[in-house]
Amino acid sequence: QNAKNIGFFLQSDWELSKNINLLSGVRADKHNFVDHVILNPRVSFLYKPRLNTQLRLSWSTGFRAPQAFDTDMHIAFAGGGIQTITLAEELKEERSQSFGASLNYDKPTEKNIYGFTVEGFYTRLKNAFILEETGKDDEGNSLMEKRNGGFSRVYGTTFEVRGNYNRIFQIEGGFTMQKGR
């Protein structure tokens, strides 16, 4: 396949007050596998209630063009044997909407800095790509077709901690729990 994508992005960062920032933007993409221009807006609200604390709320959109991806090949080979993947005739782009909220705290002192971040996220996919077996070829290899499923969602939470002592020793750790349906 020969995939081409041309994108253009506009973004504006507004400082509404010393404690509040609003970041907004839009990306326009023209992909050769999609007949129309795809607009993906996004907005992020940042509130700093205290010197070392930030609360962020965000909403964004995205898309994946109806094409074969390297991950499809990985999935195909993971089951063993050879699988041929074709694209369904009426395959549409996959669209996403994502929501996020995070709390960030960092405490600097003269010799060190430590902090943590707690984040929650939710993404809803429309026309999610799925692979369905359509039969076997003459050698018994699977024939797969990429189709649009319905809606899917991925959601979860992340917790991160970090510390740095006198720029000599740094430690970071994180944990994410997520679920996809």
Side-chain angles (χ1 to χ4, degrees):
Q1 73 184 0
N2 187 7
K4 295 179 184 173
N5 187 70
I6 297 173
F8 181 74
F9 186 76
L10 289 173
Q11 181 171 296
S12 183
D13 190 359
W14 299 326
E15 187 174 312
L16 302 177
S17 73
K18 71 176 191 161
N19 295 356
I20 298 175
N21 280 60
L22 184 66
L23 180 69
S24 61
V26 65
R27 180 179 169 108
D29 285 275
K30 179 57 182 106
H31 195 285
N32 65 319
F33 291 172
V34 179
D35 292 334
H36 54 279
V37 173
I38 296 176
L39 296 177
N40 286 304
R42 58 195 67 199
V43 64
S44 178
F45 175 81
L46 176 66
Y47 174 58
K48 302 173 192 172
R50 296 188 182 148
L51 179 64
N52 303 321
T53 307
Q54 296 181 348
L55 174 65
R56 183 181 305 274
L57 302 172
S58 62
W59 170 77
S60 61
T61 61
F63 86 103
R64 280 199 319 167
Q67 67 186 75
F69 295 95
D70 290 343
T71 53
D72 296 331
M73 304 305 140
H74 174 71
I75 291 168
F77 294 130
I82 297 174
Q83 296 174 329
T84 302
I85 299 173
T86 58
L87 304 179
E89 281 291 321
E90 299 298 317
L91 188 63
K92 297 177 184 170
E93 73 271 9
E94 183 181 79
R95 300 296 309 255
S96 67
Q97 282 198 58
S98 297
F99 302 89
S102 67
L103 174 67
N104 187 77
Y105 177 81
D106 285 302
K107 178 68 175 169
T109 65
E110 188 175 315
K111 294 242 182 211
N112 58 45
I113 184 170
Y114 60 89
F116 69 89
T117 301
V118 179
E119 178 180 10
F121 56 89
Y122 176 88
T123 299
R124 184 170 188 219
L125 301 172
K126 178 182 175 187
N127 296 324
F129 296 145
I130 60 172
L131 288 175
E132 290 192 6
E133 189 168 358
T134 58
K136 303 250 183 222
D137 66 12
D138 294 338
E139 286 93 39
N141 298 315
S142 295
L143 300 174
M144 307 290 284
E145 184 176 64
K146 182 185 269 190
R147 299 177 178 170
N148 290 115
F151 289 95
S152 295
R153 60 183 186 254
V154 177
Y155 52 93
T157 185
T158 297
F159 180 72
E160 299 172 350
V161 294
R162 59 197 158 272
N164 185 314
Y165 175 72
N166 207 21
R167 296 185 180 190
I168 297 171
F169 178 76
Q170 179 172 319
I171 187 166
E172 297 181 29
F175 180 76
T176 299
M177 292 186 315
Q178 87 176 25
K179 187 168 192 171
R181 294 179 174 248

